[in-house]
Amino acid sequence: MPRYEFSPLGDSGVMVKLGEVIDQQTHEKVIQFYEYLQEHPFPGMIESVPGFTTVTVYYDPITLFDPLDDILPYDRAVAILEQMSQQISNTHSKEYRLVEIPVCYGGSFGPDLEVVAKQNGLSIEEVISIHSTTEYLVYMIGFAPGFPYLGGMDERLATPRRSSPRLSIPKGSVGIGGLQTGIYSIESPGGWQIIGRTPLSLFQAGESSPSLLCAGDKVRFRPISEREYDNGEKVY
Amino acid sequence: MSVEVITPGLCTTVQDTGRFGFQQYGVSVSGVMDKQAVQIANMIVGNQQTDAVLELTMRGPSLLFHKDMLIAICGGDFKVTINDRSVLPNRAIWIRSGSILKFGLAQEGCRAYLAVAGGWDVPLLMGSRSTNLRGSFGGFAGRMLAAGDKLVQSSPGAFSQFLANQLEKKAGAAPFYQANWFIPSNTFVKNGEAVVRVILGEQFADFSEESRQSFFEQTFQVSTQSDRMGYRLTGPALELTKSMELISAAVTIGTIQVPPNGQPIILMADRQTIGGYPKIGYVPTIDLPIVAQLRPGEKIHFQEISLRDAQKALIERDSLMKAIKLGIEVTVGWR
């Protein structure tokens, strides 16, 4: 039975904490609770957002107020969430969705590939091979629309961020920042070492599920050639 | 076509109450900064609370109307004129096709809102008509308005048409007519210093005693690096008793986070969905309109409020708004 800790996030949110450290076990609890909420939204619930160790639930205090009993909307929200937490069986762990992301490494798409190789005493081929044989876990989506926080990068690829960030990094760029790897979902400034680019769109406004990835997915990168990248851009 | 942009102003965007349900995908909520002003503006013209309005910042646009319309202007005072004759905020105005509605520089407050009966007709995207400037989507072509843009009005409801007909008759041959009743919507401060209440945050106790004291006893100034994403404040540096590495988690509007330089930031409408800085407090929903109307250089004095009082105040304001709506309907003879 997982322990749930509730605390207010402003006057219209409850933060539900499901663990103290970023690990697979806490992540599974987060996903389980988040998915339960998706399937069983309560009246007055606005939305829920999964984090590394938390699920944040936004609610409308007006809807959750009943003048007849005068219970504080926050207390009512917590009571509902507490009851829900008892409904969740943590017996079976869910099947993961594995998403393959084609990446054209190096060249103009990955200007920092050599930096990452040199920093770690590896050849370029070794960097690509290590980066593309690992299975990564999507902990959460945030920072920018569709941007995945990925866990599981091989420590042999760890590279410090650039000392001066680039003003504009094209969308689809795959980068390494410290112990993390990620994909820029929209064009933005950033300080990560850029090692390649995917022709896939990680975010498309207007779709019913606008983000290619969801918290709880697994990701694997597949090296592709520049020609495949060009074809890919037309396909995806 | 119903309205043409002659000059766009500094940062004029289409916004509604916000884009909900997509923060799980990293999509910011966006939406209007001063919800109270917008609620009143929409109420005055007979709209739903969620209908889209124009948000104007510091310097407003000039707009040429190609259609008779019922409008209301709420929030900051932008020296508004129709065909060079000044008009008053916070009331229903009927404006004739061919007239030019012109906003000047903000005299007081930072943001004004233009509501038209029926709301502005831009595509509904992920449940909202709000502009997401960083992601370049939503609202009018995902961007601020530019000269030459043409905005379209959605069809007004029965109450709006009733009120518009009433004011049109009174206008006679004049280019516009203002109702003789008004609803105050101003939350801007008169002396440059605002009292803003704060619910204590998760890490409040982790700040040094001195920092906790100065947070409430001293004032903070709104810096020029403040925008729809957040208000950066300058003031006494707020220090933690020991450095902490927090695990990133969801952040909400009004969150007062403190980065390592000790200068607090109040997160606003275009905030990111996830944050990792210590949270010293939260501005309650009821006081967000005050913050939204502050301009760079103005000052904030924080005052503690309990979660209970913050939620009670919100519930009371909701009852007041419902009473005002009824009052409008009675005043114009709709009920």
Side-chain angles (χ1 to χ4, degrees), chain B residues 57-218:
Chain B
T57 314
M58 290 307 284
R59 194 178 72 237
S62 287
L63 306 168
L64 170 60
F65 282 68
H66 289 289
K67 201 176 160 190
D68 298 349
M69 255 185 242
L70 178 69
I71 64 170
I73 298 149
C74 286
D77 174 8
F78 276 54
K79 266 200 139 130
V80 191
T81 59
I82 295 176
N83 296 349
D84 294 325
R85 284 180 52 200
S86 67
V87 288
L88 294 163
N90 303 325
R91 64 197 71 210
I93 301 169
W94 179 84
I95 178 168
R96 191 186 299 280
S97 176
S99 306
I100 291 177
L101 173 69
K102 193 174 169 189
F103 294 84
L105 288 170
Q107 307 296 304
E108 282 179 303
C110 184
R111 294 179 170 84
Y113 295 89
L114 172 63
V116 294
W120 296 108
D121 184 15
V122 297
L124 197 63
L125 186 66
M126 292 183 272
S128 169
R129 294 187 168 83
S130 288
T131 311
N132 185 312
L133 288 173
R134 190 168 171 231
S136 306
F137 61 84
F140 188 96
R143 59 166 170 80
M144 298 177 199
L145 294 187
D149 286 347
K150 293 173 179 75
L151 292 160
V152 177
Q153 166 201 33
S154 297
S155 350
F159 172 82
S160 306
Q161 282 172 13
F162 172 84
L163 181 55
N165 289 341
Q166 200 177 73
L167 298 179
E168 183 181 356
K169 262 185 215 139
K170 288 182 181 167
F176 68 96
Y177 186 84
Q178 312 182 63
N180 56 4
W181 49 271
F182 68 98
I183 315 291
S185 70
N186 314 340
T187 52
F188 47 79
V189 292
K190 292 279 178 192
N191 56 357
E193 187 174 318
V195 173
V196 172
R197 290 168 292 180
V198 172
I199 303 165
L200 298 190
E202 220 187 326
Q203 283 81 37
F204 181 80
D206 297 314
F207 285 86
S208 73
E209 202 188 324
E210 198 193 327
S211 292
R212 280 180 275 154
Q213 248 173 29
S214 40
F215 182 68
F216 287 118
E217 282 169 9
Q218 298 191 37

Side-chain angles (χ1 to χ4, degrees), chain A residues 103-155:
Chain A
V103 177
C104 180
Y105 287 95
S108 58
F109 291 152
D112 304 325
L113 182 60
E114 234 167 289
V115 176
V116 173
K118 262 197 194 134
Q119 166 82 24
N120 294 291
L122 299 166
S123 69
I124 282 175
E125 290 70 29
E126 283 170 322
V127 172
I128 296 173
S129 154
I130 296 168
H131 193 258
S132 60
T133 49
T134 313
E135 222 171 66
Y136 302 91
L137 174 62
V138 180
Y139 277 107
M140 60 181 177
I141 307 289
F143 170 68
F147 181 96
Y149 284 83
L150 297 177
M153 190 180 76
D154 195 306
E155 286 182 19

Side-chain angles (χ1 to χ4, degrees), chain A residues 8-12 15 20-22 34 38 46-50 52-54 56 58-59 61-62 65 70 72-75 140-146 149 186 188 203 205-211 214, chain B residues 19-29 125-126 132 134-135 137-138 199 202 247-253 255 271-274 279 282-286 307-312 314-316 318 322:
Chain A
L9 185 78
D11 58 22
S12 310
M15 187 168 280
E20 297 295 330
V21 288
I22 303 172
Y34 157 72
Q38 293 287 99
I46 296 169
E47 61 184 313
S48 69
V49 184
F52 283 119
T53 58
T54 57
T56 299
Y58 292 106
Y59 63 94
I62 311 287
F65 179 71
D70 207 37
L72 195 68
Y74 171 74
D75 292 337
M140 60 181 177
I141 307 289
F143 170 68
Y149 284 83
I186 58 172
S188 73
F203 180 76
E207 302 291 314
S208 56
S209 49
S211 180
C214 295
Chain B
R19 183 168 282 115
F20 295 98
F22 294 87
Q23 289 193 79
Q24 56 185 306
Y25 303 124
V27 178
S28 301
V29 173
L125 186 66
M126 292 183 272
N132 185 312
R134 190 168 171 231
F137 61 84
I199 303 165
E202 220 187 326
I247 295 172
S248 293
V251 285
T252 186
I253 189 161
T255 300
R271 69 198 173 277
Q272 293 176 4
T273 55
I274 301 280
K279 296 175 269 229
Y282 311 98
V283 175
T285 309
I286 186 102
L307 174 61
R308 173 169 293 274
D309 288 348
Q311 292 199 323
K312 290 274 172 188
L314 202 57
I315 291 157
E316 273 164 34
D318 183 62
K322 284 182 179 129

